[in-house]
Amino acid sequence: LLPFVAAVLLMAGCASEPAKPQWSAEQVRLLAPEGKLRVALYPGTPTSILQDAGGEPKGVGYELGKALAAKLGVPFDPIVFPRNAEVLEAIKTKRADMAFTNASPARMKDMDFSPAYLEIELGYLAAPGSRIGTLAEVDQPGVRVAVTEGSSSDGVLSRSLKQAVVVRAKTIKVGVAMLADGRADLYATNKSTLFEMADELPGSRVLEGNWGAEKHAVAVPKGREAGLPVVRAMLDEARRDGVVSAAIQRAGLRGA
């Protein structure tokens, strides 16, 4: 993780000077009070940040954060945390100014969201050798469903699964290891992440169908909701300019 973080910071520092902002100084200060846009990210998923074949950062959150910083006319400051739970905490505590994440009802209590810019199916990745082939076979006695600790999948499945057991992984990387060594039968999260995990785990399978969907949006700390019209306008512009679709394509995001 550390070499990757260093590469992210180096690329951010080497970026061209931000364009002149089209927003008032008050609007910019509301969204980027430190004079730079601090964007919270976590590795291993195309919805946030990951590495390309050359080791350079890509990902929808990373590229949108960079684009929105340019639109605000401030430097882009990507902050990479090991876990998504730390990203959410950074927004709650105002250690970061933006995150690109699932706008779940539970998270809306702790942060404010823009309109969604991306919808992704939620599903299951079956471990190599698993006999589970359909969603109907998941909620059975003895089945262990792994989730990322503190994720929206953790919150939903911990309540909805009645017979299967929910087990928790600190990170996506740990989740891959749990499937590989038999500590879990399935992993549950959005399908874009599941396909990335499947690429690392020969013999694993993303099951057909879904048990829900994530609506990804821009999260900002509570108290800054007056800046959301600016975020919405910037997102609309990014969609029109093809920034969102290009970021999705470069990240190789599947399941959206």
Side-chain angles (χ1 to χ4, degrees):
L1 177 61
L2 289 177
F4 182 38
V5 172
V8 171
L9 295 175
L10 179 62
M11 289 192 68
C14 293
S16 58
E17 286 297 313
K20 184 178 178 181
Q22 53 185 303
W23 318 104
S24 71
E26 291 76 14
Q27 289 172 319
V28 173
R29 189 159 46 245
L30 181 62
L31 292 171
E34 301 292 325
K36 56 188 176 182
L37 189 64
R38 300 170 299 170
V39 175
L41 303 160
Y42 72 104
T45 171
T47 61
S48 188
I49 188 171
L50 68 171
Q51 293 171 279
D52 66 15
E56 296 183 351
K58 62 179 181 177
V60 177
Y62 176 81
E63 296 203 25
L64 278 183
K66 190 175 183 179
L68 297 191
K71 290 179 184 299
L72 282 175
V74 298
F76 173 47
D77 183 18
I79 308 172
V80 182
F81 295 92
R83 301 187 298 131
N84 189 38
E86 295 172 78
V87 166
L88 302 177
E89 186 65 22
I91 296 297
K92 287 170 60 177
T93 59
K94 300 183 180 180
R95 291 171 56 204
D97 305 309
M98 282 187 186
F100 298 82
T101 188
N102 179 28
S104 68
R107 292 176 185 176
M108 290 178 185
K109 298 174 184 177
D110 298 318
M111 58 199 75
D112 290 310
F113 285 92
S114 73
Y117 59 85
L118 179 66
E119 184 170 309
I120 310 173
E121 286 188 321
L122 291 160
Y124 296 103
L125 177 66
S130 172
R131 296 182 180 181
I132 298 172
T134 67
L135 267 64
E137 300 173 73
V138 171
D139 197 8
Q140 302 292 335
V143 175
R144 296 157 301 171
V145 179
V147 295
T148 306
E149 184 177 28
S151 66
S152 53
S153 299
D154 186 355
V156 171
L157 295 180
S158 294
R159 295 190 303 270
S160 62
L161 293 177
K162 304 305 181 185
Q163 300 183 85
V165 175
V166 173
V167 295
R168 294 167 180 84
K170 291 287 187 182
T171 65
I172 296 297
K173 185 175 181 179
V174 172
V176 172
M178 291 173 70
L179 292 174
D181 63 21
R183 284 178 285 162
D185 303 296
L186 301 155
Y187 205 90
T189 187
N190 67 69
K191 284 194 174 181
S192 66
T193 301
L194 294 181
F195 282 116
E196 293 291 322
M197 296 172 72
D199 289 343
E200 298 181 31
L201 196 58
S204 62
R205 295 167 291 110
V206 177
L207 300 186
E208 292 291 332
N210 69 77
W211 53 269
E214 287 186 348
K215 295 182 181 294
H216 283 239
V218 178
V220 300
K222 286 288 185 183
R224 301 185 191 174
E225 59 274 9
L228 286 177
V230 174
V231 175
R232 181 175 197 154
M234 290 193 298
L235 280 175
D236 286 344
E237 190 174 279
R239 279 194 290 262
R240 289 195 303 270
D241 294 346
V243 173
V244 177
S245 58
I248 289 171
Q249 184 176 7
R250 277 193 292 270
L253 192 149
R254 294 163 282 182

